[in-house]
Amino acid sequence: MALDAGGDSLTVVQMAAGWDPAAERRWLPGKAKDIDLNASALLFAGDAIVDVVYHEQLTSQDGSVRLLGDNTTGEGEGDDEIITLDLTRISPRVTTVFFVVTCYTGQTFEKIEHAFCRVVDGRTNTEIARYDLSKIHAHTGFLAGKLVRTQEGWTFRSIDEEIQAEHPVEAVPQLAPFLA
């Protein structure tokens, strides 16, 4: 599925991830391991990775992609981590941006309550795609989709693929089949 902004090119996009803390943590403080999901954007020029935005690098080299904070517990309502992309400022060499969510603490998604990922047109605040990560079994990573630069502008393409990755670097080799 390919989507754009209703005939207009996408200019600002957000990818958000959200989840709830482990149930055991709420009832037995100090006894349960935190759940730390990580939203990331991996930027490619052709088939080569050129930049990544995630909890260890909050801003892309050109400043056009930003992670607005690293939530390490899932506490709070709604979106826990948000990445914003100003596609009008992104480096001209970038042709593809992948949206990935990984579980840094190693839990598989079915063990995480209310885990989700969504992609939003930041100009209209319209949700382009939404994924229920809690339905994923036996995987620690998720490839939501990708933004692709075309002659007409940027287009979002949903991928909806489970992967094994606790860190964005572990996801990189698994992205190759989706670069075409």
Side-chain angles (χ1 to χ4, degrees):
M1 161 174 55
L3 298 170
D4 60 18
D8 296 330
S9 181
L10 292 168
T11 56
V12 178
V13 174
Q14 293 182 334
M15 188 275 269
W19 69 100
D20 287 336
E24 301 87 25
R25 183 170 177 75
R26 291 192 300 266
W27 306 116
L28 302 168
K31 301 287 184 190
K33 184 177 179 183
D34 281 336
I35 296 171
D36 184 6
L37 294 188
N38 286 309
S40 59
L42 293 89
L43 291 70
F44 281 76
D47 62 356
I49 189 162
V50 294
D51 208 351
V52 62
V53 173
Y54 67 118
H55 71 279
E56 293 175 17
Q57 181 173 305
L58 301 179
T59 305
S60 62
Q61 295 167 18
D62 64 10
S64 65
V65 183
R66 297 179 182 273
L67 174 62
L68 303 180
D70 179 22
N71 184 322
T72 60
T73 64
E75 294 286 345
E77 294 296 316
D79 299 334
D80 293 308
E81 292 195 7
I82 301 169
I83 294 178
T84 62
L85 298 90
D86 181 348
L87 299 174
T88 65
R89 294 182 45 226
I90 204 162
S91 172
R93 70 184 179 143
V94 173
T95 55
T96 308
V97 179
F98 286 100
F99 294 130
V100 175
V101 178
T102 56
C103 186
Y104 191 64
T105 47
Q107 293 93 339
T108 55
F109 286 114
E110 83 273 6
K111 296 179 182 173
I112 305 170
E113 293 184 40
H114 307 112
F116 68 89
C117 170
R118 64 193 197 109
V119 179
V120 176
D121 178 340
R123 189 176 47 83
T124 64
N125 207 29
T126 303
E127 198 169 86
I128 297 171
R130 184 177 189 88
Y131 308 94
D132 181 354
L133 304 181
S134 297
K135 292 182 179 179
I136 297 172
H137 297 283
H139 288 84
T140 56
F142 179 72
L143 173 55
K146 64 183 179 178
L147 288 167
V148 178
R149 188 189 302 263
T150 67
Q151 289 189 345
E152 293 80 35
W154 289 93
T155 301
F156 176 77
R157 296 187 182 142
S158 181
I159 297 174
D160 194 3
E161 188 77 24
E162 302 166 8
I163 60 175
Q164 280 305 127
E166 294 176 21
H167 192 279
V169 170
E170 296 171 1
V172 173
Q174 299 173 67
L175 302 179
F178 304 100
L179 282 166

